[in-house]
Amino acid sequence: MTKKQKFIGAKVNRLEDDKFLRGNGRYVADINIPGTLHAAFLRSPHAHAKIIKINTDKAKSIPGVVGVWTGEDIKDKSDPLIWKMPIEEMKLSVQPLIAHDKVKFVGEAVAVVVASSRYIAEDAVEEIEVEYEPLPVVADAEKSMRPESVKVQDQLEDNIILTKKLSKGDLENSFKEASLVLKKRFKSNRYMASPMETRGCLASYDKANDFLTIWSSTQAPYWFRSLLANTLKFPEHKIRMVAPDVGGGFGQKLTLYPEEVISCVLSIELMQPVKWIEDRRENFVAANHAKEQDIELSMAFNEKGRILALKGKMIGDSGAYTATPFTMLSEVMNSVVVLPGVYDIQNVEAEFFAVLTNKSPVNCYRGIGWTAMYNVRESMMEVAARKLGIDPIEIRRLNMVQPDQFPYLSATNVLFDSGSYVESLNKLRELVKYDEFRKRQSELRKQGKYIGIGFCPYNEPSGVGTEMARSTGFPISTYDSVIVSIDPSGKVTVKVGASSQGQGHQTTLAQITADHLGVPLEDIRIEAGDTAAGAYGMGTFASRVAVIYGGAIIKAAKVVREKLLTIASFMLKIEKEELEINNGSIFIKGMDDPKLSLAEVAFSAYFIPENRPKDMDATLESKQTYDPPSTVSNGAHAAIVEVDIKTGKVNVTDYYAIEDCGTVINPTIVEGQLSGAIVQGIGGSLYEHLVYDEQGQLLTASFMDYLMPSATEVPNIIIDHLTTPSPTTISGIKGVGESGMISAPSTILNAVQDALSPFDVSFEELPLSPENVLNKINAGIEERERMVL
Amino acid sequence: MNFSGVEKFHYSRENVWSAMHDANVLEKTIPGCTSLELQENEEYLVELQLGIAAIKGKYEGTAKIVDLDVPCHYELYAEGSGKPGFVKIKMDCVFEVIGENECEMSWKTSVETGGLIAGMGGRVLSGVAKHLAKKFFTAIRKELEVYEEVKITG
C-alpha cells in the first residue's frame, strides 16, 4: 500500500510563515473599520500622588476631539478590575480603569482622549492639565512590608497581598546533621517581554444588534471575553473577542488590561469603533513587567554532596496592582512549585510574600517564578560543588531524581511523570566536550583569558491541567476544547480556542490532525482565536497548547474518523475494521489502491442519505475537551562564556541545550521556541533591567537604556533532543519552550562565576552588567591582596 | 541628580546679586523662558519652551527665591511640569567678593525628575543641565554689560 503518512515528528516548514515573511500578517493595527475613532492616554508622571484637579476644557476644544474621560467620568460606566484567586487569605486588589483619587505608579492612565485621528488624540492629551499632590513613595518590596510603610492601595490594611508558609519533612534535623550549610540571598532583576507588536485593541459596538466585537492583541480571547463581560456587566453571549495575528506575547498579553475595557466602554457610549494601539513608550510603563523577586535560600548538604534540605523565603515585588487573572501570586508561588527543581529533596520549607509597591504591575513572562528560583538554587549548587570538592555535573547527577524513581511526586506536589534527567546531563557533558574544555580553560588562564562553563538541568511542569494547577496551590480549572469538522468537499477545519503569538500552531496542530485523521496537511485549516467559533479554551500560555489541544484534537479526530469509516464501510460494503484512512483516501488495509476519496465520503454524509446507514448521525464534526494529568518535560543547558576582566564585559560564545519534551511534533519548531527563549534568558542575565529610583521613577524606559540582545549577542546555539514520551498525556507530548527562560540566566550566571573562579566571585543580583562584573572582580582582587599581606 | 559649578564675574557682588533678582533680567536670560511674572506671594510664574531631545516640550511652573543672607546667599526653588513629565529644582547660590568689582558665585543644584524626563531623558540630563547653565551664565554676563545697578534694599 502507499506509505503511511507521518507528519508528527517531521521537520515540516511552518505553514504560517509564507504570509508573515511577505508582510501579509494581519494585526489589530491593520484592521480598519470605517468611522473608527482613536484613543490616546494621558499617563501619570508620579509614582504616588493625589489627583487634585484635572482640567480637560482645552483638550476638548481641539477640532476633531470627540471627548475626554477622566477616572471620575468612567468609574460608573464599568466595574474596576477586581480579581483574586479563590484563595481565602488573598487580599482583594482593586484597579480602577483610569486612576481617580490617586495614581499609584508611573504610567498609570489618568485620562483618555478619543478623536478622529491618533494625531489629534495625542495633541489633545498634551493639553490636559492635571494638578497632583505628590505622596510618599514605596518602590522597594522589603520596605513595603514594614508596618510603617505608606499604603499603595488605601482600602487594604497593608501592602502584603498574600503570605504563606509551607513545610514538608524534617527541616530541623536535616540542617543539624548537615556537613555544609549554604545561605544566599539573590535579587532577580525586573525585566519584561518586549513583543515586537505592542498591545492594542479595537472595540466596535453594533447598536442595532446590541453586539460588541473586540479585536485584541491577546493570548486568551475566550477566557478574557468572560472576564470582560463580567467587568463591563455586558452579556457574554453578545460579545465576540478576536485575537487576530499577534506579534509575540510571552505572557505580557496574558492580562486583561484596563485599556481593553475602556475601549469597549467608549465604543458602547459613542456607538462607534474605538481603536487603541500602544506605542513603545507606553509599553515600557503600562504593560506588565516581570520577574522581580528577592529570594533567600538555605541549603543543607551532607559530606558526599547530597542535598538534605532546602529552605526558601521569596519576596515578590509585584507593583501597584494584581493583574487580572493570573495575579501577582503567580511569580512567587511558581518559585515555590519549583523549589527543589530536578532534585530529590523531600525536606523543604518555603515562605512567600506577594507585595505591592508603587511600580508597574508584575505578571507572567515565560518561565514565570521559575527563573528566580533557578538563579539562586543553581548558583548555590556550584558553590556547594566547589566547597565539597565535587564536580558541578557530578553533584547534580547525584541529587537528581533517578531513572528508577518515576513517577515521582516532588515535595511541592508536582508529579514528575517520566523523564531523562540523568541521561540528559550525561549527554550534555559529551556535547560540551567537558574534559577538553577544562584543559582549554586552564591554558587560556595562563594567557590572561578567562573562559568559564556553567550548567543548569531543569524540568518544566507543562500542559498544566486542573490536576497539576490544584496540586501546586492554584485552585483553578484549566481545560480547552476543539471542534474538528469536515466539509462536503472533504476538507478539514479545526477550531481551537488558543490563538498563536508565533508558536506555529497552524503547523503543529495541523500535523497532529493530519496523522490522526489520515489527511494531507494542505487539506487542514486551523481556525484560532475567535470566540465566534465556539471552541472555548483558556488560551495560550504555560507550554500547554501542544499537550492540551493536541489531546483534544486526537479525541475529536477519532470520533470523526469513525464516522467517515462507517459511511465508507456502508458505501463499499466492506467491514469497517478492514478499512483505513491515509493521505485523504479510504484504503482496504494493506492494499495499494484507494477505494474512495474523503471528498466522496463527505459528500455522501452531507447530501446522499442512501450512502450511509439509516439512523446514523452524519454530522462530520466532533467537539472534545481535554484536561490533562500532570506531565513534566526536562533537559539540561550549558553555556561557555568569556569574561574580559578589564572591562567586565561578558561574551557568551557557545550555548548547548538538551531538550526532552516527550513526543516531538516538529523538531524545527521546538528548536525555534527554545532558541528564542534562550536569547530572552541571555537578555535577562546580561542586559535587560527595569531600573527604578527611590521615587518610583523608571529610569530605563526606552531601548536606549533598556538593552536587549541583538543578533550580534546571540551565540552559537546547539540543541539536541531526547525523547521520553509522556505516559500520562493522550499524545505522549510534553510542553516545550520555557526552558530557555528557566535555565539560560542561571546557566550564564554559573559560567561567569566559573570563568572568574580565581577571584572567588559570587553574584547576588542580575543582570551581570559590566559594572556588576567589574565590581566583583575588583573586590576579589582586593581580597586576594589582603590575604597575601 | 546633583550638579554644581563656580562662576566668576567682573562686577561687584551687589551688582550681580541684584541682576539675579531682577525679573526682567531673568526672563531674558533663563534658557527657553517665554514668560516670567512675579506673583503677589513673591513666587514667579514661569513658562519655558525647551527643545532638547527627550525633554523637549512646554513647561509651566513656579519659582521662588529665598534670601538667606543678602547679598551673600540665596536659595532658589523651582518646579515645573509639561508633557514630558515634571522637574523639581533646588539651587543653592553663594556669592563671595574676590577683588574690586570681582566676585564669585558658587552654585549647587539638586534636580528631581519624573515621567518621560526620568525614563528617557536620564541619559542626557546632565549634558542638558550643563548646556543650559552655560547658556544662562553667558546671557547673564551679556545683560550685566548694560545693567544698571539697583541699590539693594533687602
Side-chain angles (χ1 to χ4, degrees):
Chain A
M1 67 166 287
T2 47
K3 204 174 161 227
K4 180 93 178 157
Q5 66 171 68
K6 182 95 178 100
F7 288 107
I8 294 174
K11 290 191 168 187
V12 175
N13 282 343
R14 289 181 13 137
L15 303 172
E16 49 270 79
D17 280 348
D18 188 273
K19 78 170 169 183
F20 290 132
L21 292 172
R22 288 175 201 277
N24 291 334
R26 193 159 176 259
Y27 302 89
V28 179
D30 299 319
I31 298 169
N32 291 306
I33 306 174
T36 295
L37 301 170
H38 298 265
F41 288 87
L42 175 68
R43 299 191 179 276
S44 169
H46 292 276
H48 197 198
K50 262 190 206 165
I51 299 171
I52 305 293
K53 200 167 71 186
I54 304 184
N55 185 348
T56 58
D57 294 348
K58 225 162 145 188
K60 281 177 181 160
S61 72
I62 293 175
V65 170
V66 175
V68 182
W69 291 261
T70 65
E72 286 293 334
D73 301 330
I74 222 153
K75 72 177 186 190
D76 298 328
K77 298 180 197 290
S78 162
D79 276 0
L81 288 165
I82 308 175
W83 187 255
K84 74 193 268 296
M85 297 247 180
I87 296 172
E88 202 184 324
E89 312 90 314
M90 184 181 178
K91 289 175 196 147
L92 195 63
S93 157
V94 181
Q95 179 172 16
L97 300 181
I98 299 180
H100 48 81
D101 304 334
K102 70 173 192 174
V103 290
K104 304 183 195 73
F105 69 94
V106 170
E108 184 170 11
V110 176
V112 59
V113 175
V114 174
S116 56
S117 80
R118 178 65 177 261
Y119 296 101
I120 295 171
E122 295 267 357
D123 285 349
V125 161
E126 234 172 290
E127 297 301 332
I128 300 171
E129 292 159 10
V130 187
E131 195 183 315
Y132 296 98
E133 183 189 314
L135 296 167
V137 171
V138 58
D140 176 276
E142 208 184 12
K143 286 181 187 158
S144 177
M145 285 163 61
R146 294 178 193 158
E148 72 272 17
S149 169
V150 289
K151 281 199 287 183
V152 177
Q153 295 194 20
D154 293 337
Q155 83 282 4
L156 300 176
E157 69 219 40
D158 58 42
N159 295 325
I160 302 168
I161 286 285
L162 183 66
T163 174
K164 257 190 169 176
K165 198 169 179 175
L166 315 147
S167 192
K168 199 182 172 195
D170 184 352
L171 267 289
E172 205 186 322
N173 279 319
S174 303
F175 274 93
K176 220 184 272 170
E177 289 162 11
S179 335
L180 175 68
V181 171
L182 294 177
K183 192 172 182 178
K184 183 164 184 147
R185 189 169 165 184
F186 196 91
K187 284 193 175 192
S188 285
N189 46 325
R190 176 180 278 246
Y191 58 114
M192 70 195 296
S194 297
M196 272 209 267
E197 182 207 16
T198 52
R199 298 177 299 142
C201 59
L202 166 63
S204 179
Y205 176 63
D206 168 10
K207 172 72 180 155
N209 296 299
D210 189 29
F211 193 85
L212 177 69
T213 306
I214 174 166
W215 290 263
S216 181
S217 184
T218 182
Q219 291 176 236
Y222 283 87
W223 192 8
F224 288 5
R225 180 184 67 162
S226 303
L227 300 172
L228 188 62
N230 190 43
T231 306
L232 281 171
K233 299 281 172 264
F234 194 92
E236 186 168 353
H237 67 297
K238 291 183 176 182
I239 303 176
R240 175 183 166 212
M241 192 161 192
V242 188
D245 286 331
V246 173
F250 314 110
Q252 189 180 85
K253 294 171 183 170
L254 202 49
T255 294
L256 178 70
Y257 283 99
E259 292 90 345
E260 288 166 298
V261 186
I262 293 165
S263 300
C264 291
V265 167
L266 297 178
S267 180
I268 293 168
E269 180 170 334
L270 298 167
M271 289 187 272
Q272 268 182 281
V274 174
K275 192 184 217 177
W276 169 71
I277 303 297
E278 184 179 50
D279 69 21
R280 189 59 68 178
R281 286 180 176 185
E282 290 181 289
N283 187 263
F284 266 103
V285 289
N288 286 160
H289 291 178
K291 304 277 180 202
E292 182 169 8
Q293 236 191 114
D294 182 346
I295 298 182
E296 190 178 87
L297 195 65
S298 303
M299 294 179 88
F301 293 84
N302 71 13
E303 73 287 351
K304 288 181 184 148
R306 191 75 177 85
I307 308 163
L308 304 175
L310 259 181
K311 193 170 146 183
K313 181 182 170 187
M314 302 86 168
I315 301 172
D317 183 333
S318 315
Y321 299 107
T322 187
T324 304
F326 278 88
T327 83
M328 57 202 281
L329 303 187
S330 292
E331 175 65 31
V332 276
M333 278 172 58
N334 274 304
S335 272
V336 176
V337 171
V338 298
L339 181 66
V342 294
Y343 307 119
D344 174 23
I345 313 164
Q346 289 293 336
N347 302 313
V348 299
E349 189 182 287
E351 186 180 21
F352 71 81
F353 300 84
V355 182
L356 297 170
T357 56
N358 290 120
K359 288 148 89 170
S360 294
V362 156
N363 197 26
C364 307
Y365 182 12
R366 267 179 147 174
I368 180 166
W370 303 341
T371 313
M373 182 49 70
Y374 272 75
N375 285 344
V376 53
R377 182 197 342 99
E378 291 306 316
S379 68
M380 288 171 80
M381 287 301 285
E382 305 234 344
V383 174
R386 234 178 290 158
K387 296 215 173 198
L388 293 166
I390 307 172
D391 184 83
I393 294 182
E394 188 50 31
I395 195 169
R396 290 184 166 105
R397 200 195 56 74
L398 183 73
N399 282 291
M400 278 177 159
V401 173
Q402 300 295 311
D404 59 358
Q405 285 181 285
F406 294 103
Y408 173 89
L409 186 67
S410 82
T412 51
N413 271 332
V414 183
L415 186 72
F416 301 179
D417 56 323
S418 61
S420 53
Y421 293 43
V422 173
E423 198 185 344
S424 62
L425 202 57
N426 292 342
K427 198 175 168 100
L428 183 69
R429 188 188 170 113
E430 277 169 40
L431 193 67
V432 300
K433 300 190 180 73
Y434 187 52
D435 298 327
E436 272 176 45
F437 173 82
R438 286 293 180 211
K439 269 185 223 152
R440 189 153 58 94
Q441 183 181 39
S442 76
E443 277 160 28
L444 283 172
R445 266 192 201 155
K446 287 175 205 154
Q447 300 167 29
K449 280 191 178 163
Y450 292 83
I451 63 168
I453 193 164
F455 298 95
C456 177
Y458 72 91
N459 65 3
E460 179 182 345
S462 66
V464 178
T466 304
E467 179 188 308
M468 195 195 289
R470 294 200 171 157
S471 72
T472 54
F474 295 96
I476 54 171
S477 86
T478 110
Y479 74 96
D480 294 78
S481 50
V482 305
I483 300 166
V484 173
S485 57
I486 297 189
D487 59 41
S489 70
K491 308 294 188 201
V492 183
T493 302
V494 182
K495 295 172 178 174
V496 297
S499 55
S500 169
Q501 302 89 50
Q503 292 87 345
H505 299 164
Q506 297 289 329
T507 311
T508 49
L509 298 183
Q511 285 177 270
I512 296 172
T513 311
D515 280 2
H516 284 268
L517 267 182
V519 298
L521 270 187
E522 58 269 23
D523 285 358
I524 300 164
R525 193 174 70 86
I526 306 293
E527 193 178 310
D530 185 343
T531 60
Y536 201 97
M538 309 307 286
T540 306
F541 55 91
S543 303
R544 64 197 296 281
V545 169
V547 176
I548 299 182
Y549 287 88
I553 286 173
I554 291 169
K555 283 168 79 176
K558 192 177 169 193
V559 173
V560 174
R561 194 181 57 213
E562 283 303 304
K563 286 187 169 186
L564 289 167
L565 288 172
T566 303
I567 297 167
S569 160
F570 190 86
M571 289 169 77
L572 295 168
K573 308 207 171 8
I574 298 172
E575 285 299 312
K576 197 164 78 173
E577 289 67 31
E578 287 175 35
L579 298 175
E580 65 179 359
I581 311 172
N582 190 31
N583 212 18
S585 295
I586 309 286
F587 290 84
I588 296 171
K589 281 181 185 168
M591 305 288 273
D592 278 342
D593 302 328
K595 291 290 168 196
L596 283 170
S597 71
L598 272 197
E600 288 170 283
V601 179
F603 194 82
S604 295
Y606 279 87
F607 304 119
I608 313 175
E610 295 78 8
N611 276 358
R612 48 180 150 91
K614 212 173 172 190
D615 299 326
M616 182 190 181
D617 167 16
T619 48
L620 293 181
E621 180 169 296
S622 174
K623 181 175 185 178
Q624 298 289 330
T625 64
Y626 187 46
D627 183 346
S630 293
T631 187
V632 177
S633 55
N634 74 278
H637 288 202
I640 295 177
V641 303
E642 184 175 350
V643 184
D644 184 331
I645 64 157
K646 289 202 179 76
T647 62
K649 189 174 182 295
V650 176
N651 182 19
V652 184
T653 56
D654 304 277
Y655 199 96
Y656 303 90
I658 306 292
E659 177 74 30
D660 186 345
C661 57
T663 303
V664 174
I665 307 167
N666 186 328
T668 314
I669 285 182
V670 168
E671 287 167 21
Q673 286 248 1
L674 205 52
S675 302
I678 288 166
V679 174
Q680 288 177 315
I682 290 172
S685 61
L686 297 179
Y687 310 115
E688 297 179 48
H689 195 188
L690 293 159
V691 181
Y692 277 86
D693 70 8
E694 282 185 356
Q695 291 306 308
Q697 292 293 337
L698 178 63
L699 303 178
T700 52
S702 80
F703 285 134
M704 284 198 298
D705 297 296
Y706 183 86
L707 196 59
M708 300 260 300
S710 67
T712 52
E713 281 80 39
V714 176
N716 183 25
I717 298 173
I718 295 165
I719 297 167
D720 209 344
H721 303 269
L722 283 170
T723 303
T724 312
S726 169
T728 57
T729 66
I730 288 182
S731 53
I733 296 167
K734 299 173 182 173
V736 71
E738 301 190 69
S739 66
M741 284 288 270
I742 303 171
S743 292
S746 46
T747 303
I748 289 164
L749 170 67
N750 286 336
V752 173
Q753 290 183 161
D754 181 59
L756 298 176
S757 57
F759 306 97
D760 197 20
V761 160
S762 172
F763 290 93
E764 284 94 32
E765 60 186 336
L766 290 181
L768 303 176
S769 62
E771 186 190 14
N772 189 3
V773 172
L774 214 50
N775 285 342
K776 287 288 176 188
I777 293 172
N778 290 338
I781 291 171
E782 276 171 31
E783 178 67 13
R784 205 164 48 181
E785 282 166 356
R786 200 177 58 80
M787 301 283 276
V788 171
L789 289 173
Chain B
M1 210 174 285
N2 297 311
F3 307 101
S4 61
V6 180
E7 292 291 325
K8 261 187 199 167
F9 294 95
H10 302 292
Y11 298 94
S12 73
R13 175 163 71 177
E14 284 71 18
N15 204 355
V16 179
W17 174 274
S18 58
M20 295 235 184
H21 282 68
D22 185 322
N24 290 325
V25 174
L26 292 174
E27 190 173 353
K28 279 187 248 174
T29 53
I30 294 172
C33 183
T34 50
S35 156
L36 187 126
E37 273 175 54
L38 187 60
Q39 305 282 101
E40 277 179 11
N41 62 1
E42 305 242 314
E43 265 186 19
Y44 291 102
L45 215 56
V46 193
E47 276 181 31
L48 296 179
Q49 181 76 44
L50 293 174
I52 310 163
I55 66 161
K56 188 174 174 175
K58 199 170 88 182
Y59 295 82
E60 286 176 11
T62 56
K64 188 174 186 173
I65 292 176
V66 179
D67 291 339
L68 298 173
D69 179 9
V70 182
C72 304
H73 188 191
Y74 75 81
E75 280 176 353
L76 180 140
Y77 297 88
E79 54 181 84
S81 60
K83 175 79 199 296
F86 66 84
V87 185
K88 269 191 203 172
I89 297 168
K90 185 191 163 199
M91 188 173 180
D92 184 277
C93 305
V94 175
F95 293 80
E96 266 184 273
V97 176
I98 52 169
E100 196 180 335
N101 282 334
E102 294 266 312
C103 72
E104 201 173 73
M105 172 191 175
S106 310
W107 57 274
K108 277 187 230 155
T109 305
S110 60
V111 180
E112 219 181 89
T113 58
L116 277 181
I117 308 175
M120 301 187 60
R123 57 163 48 230
V124 294
L125 209 58
S126 77
V128 169
K130 277 178 202 152
H131 172 74
L132 295 180
K134 195 177 163 197
K135 243 178 133 176
F136 170 69
F137 287 113
T138 308
I140 275 282
R141 287 203 175 82
K142 213 170 156 197
E143 283 300 311
L144 281 165
E145 284 173 20
V146 294
Y147 187 69
E148 278 182 43
E149 194 175 335
V150 180
K151 196 159 188 318
I152 299 169
T153 53

